[in-house]
Amino acid sequence: MNENLPPCPQCSCEYTYEMNALVVCPECGHEWVPAEGGADSGAPAGQVVKDSVGNVLKDGDTVVVVKALKVKGSPSGIKAGTKVRNIRLVDGVDGHDIDCKIDGFGAMQLKSSVVKKG
């Protein structure tokens, strides 16, 4: 067990532990990638994720979908103006760098180019 793990950036708990590439807080459940400098960047491996208008996104932000999206297997899709709460930034496939849950659709990944910070 590594005794040099950083405390949780959200609740300052000292009892964090490693799970694969993440550091996890047992008290509040926050998960993050430990940064080399000791500060939490909010994005995977120093990557800066920006929305469609250039605002920097971080884990836990609320975003709004700016254009209608087609969803495979769904007759309606996601309408423009849909609010998405508590996003997680991931190193996704084909530019899908936001992991989220959308009411009525469930878990999915979005591209940062189709959302704006809300």
Side-chain angles (χ1 to χ4, degrees):
M1 191 169 208
N2 188 357
E3 295 183 18
N4 295 328
L5 292 174
C8 177
Q10 287 192 342
C11 71
S12 301
C13 172
E14 296 180 3
Y15 302 109
T16 57
Y17 61 92
E18 289 182 282
M19 183 170 60
N20 299 330
L22 298 174
V23 177
V24 181
C25 176
E27 290 186 8
C28 69
H30 180 62
E31 300 176 347
W32 73 98
V33 177
E36 292 297 322
D40 183 24
S41 64
Q47 174 186 6
V48 176
V49 178
K50 295 185 179 184
D51 66 2
S52 62
V53 293
N55 296 321
V56 177
L57 298 174
K58 60 183 171 80
D59 286 346
D61 280 346
T62 298
V63 295
V64 178
V65 177
V66 294
K67 71 179 217 176
L69 303 173
K70 295 179 184 176
V71 178
K72 284 185 181 179
S74 172
S76 62
I78 299 172
K79 296 178 182 176
T82 301
K83 190 177 272 193
V84 182
R85 292 181 178 89
N86 199 20
I87 65 169
R88 261 183 58 177
L89 301 178
V90 296
D91 198 16
V93 179
D94 293 331
H96 293 83
D97 45 12
I98 297 174
D99 195 18
C100 61
K101 285 186 184 174
I102 298 178
D103 293 337
F105 288 95
M108 64 176 42
Q109 290 189 341
L110 297 173
K111 292 183 178 183
S112 59
S113 61
V114 299
V115 299
K116 71 176 182 177
K117 199 168 187 176

